[in-house]
Every structure is written in C-alpha cells, then in structure tokens.
Amino acid sequence: MNRISLIAAPLLLAPLLAGCVRFQTVKDGITRARIDEPVAVNGMQVTPTRLVEDSRCPIGVQCISAGQVRIAVRIGGADPGAGPVELTQGQPAGIAGGALELVEVYPERRKDWTLYPDEYRFGFTFTRRP
C-alpha cells in the first residue's frame, strides 16, 4: 500500500463503523438518567442531583440485608424553595398527584470495585393518580 492509502483507509472506514455503534431505547416504561441529567418521566421533569447512599450488597457476597440506594432528585416545576426530594429504591414517593419511584440502579455493586457518582444510571417511573 502506498502512503496515501494508509491515511485514507481509516477515514473511509470511519463512517461505516460508526453505524455499528447504537444506543437502544427500551420501551419498558422506565426512564433512565445519570446524575445531573434532566429527563421527562411520564410528563414530569426529574433530575438526579446526588447519590445519598448506596449500601447494596455486592455481587457474590453474603449479606444480612440487601441494602438500599437513596438519591436526591430535583423535580421540574416544583417550588424553587422546596429543595430536592429524596428517593429510596423501591419506595414510591407521592409527588404532584402521583407516585414517583426509583425502580432500578446500575451498575450493580461489586466487591473490590469503587463506583463513582458519574457511573450510576437510575431508572424512574411516574404513575399519575386518577
């Protein structure tokens, strides 16, 4: 190959390979977000602002309890003086005429592995009450 071919080959392959990377949206009714990423959860804007607690039992370890995850979230349209709302995984919170719930937290905890706040993904559901 000549020198021009070696330079041009990666440039020609890049658009082809770019099509291989896909982010899939799962239509399961769960809206997922990172810390400081605002998302619409069934019409309500929710922004996870801070990890308060992650005491989940790591994979492969026997624990007395499963532990829990608690996070602080900001609700869009709420009274600015109201401050953040704290959610605990699996415990719906009554908000804005409905129930907001933290239903999943990724990644799972592992023994000897430190998770940093920007690595977390939180899944939410919001059910309006009739």
Side-chain angles (χ1 to χ4, degrees), residues 50-118:
R50 183 171 58 92
L51 178 68
V52 175
E53 173 188 357
D54 184 357
S55 61
R56 297 175 293 169
C57 184
I59 295 172
V61 175
Q62 283 191 327
C63 298
I64 294 172
S65 72
Q68 66 182 6
V69 173
R70 293 183 307 135
I71 63 170
V73 297
R74 186 174 51 248
I75 306 299
D79 177 9
V85 173
E86 193 172 287
L87 296 177
T88 300
Q89 185 177 9
Q91 297 178 9
I95 296 171
L100 177 65
E101 185 173 356
L102 173 61
V103 294
E104 65 182 26
V105 178
Y106 289 107
E108 295 178 335
R109 284 196 65 195
R110 297 181 188 268
K111 184 179 168 186
D112 302 326
W113 184 31
T114 302
L115 281 173
Y116 296 97
D118 63 335

Side-chain angles (χ1 to χ4, degrees), residues 42 44 91-101 125-130:
N42 196 14
M44 173 187 289
Q91 297 178 9
I95 296 171
L100 177 65
E101 185 173 356
T125 59
F126 179 69
T127 308
R128 295 193 184 279
R129 294 194 179 114

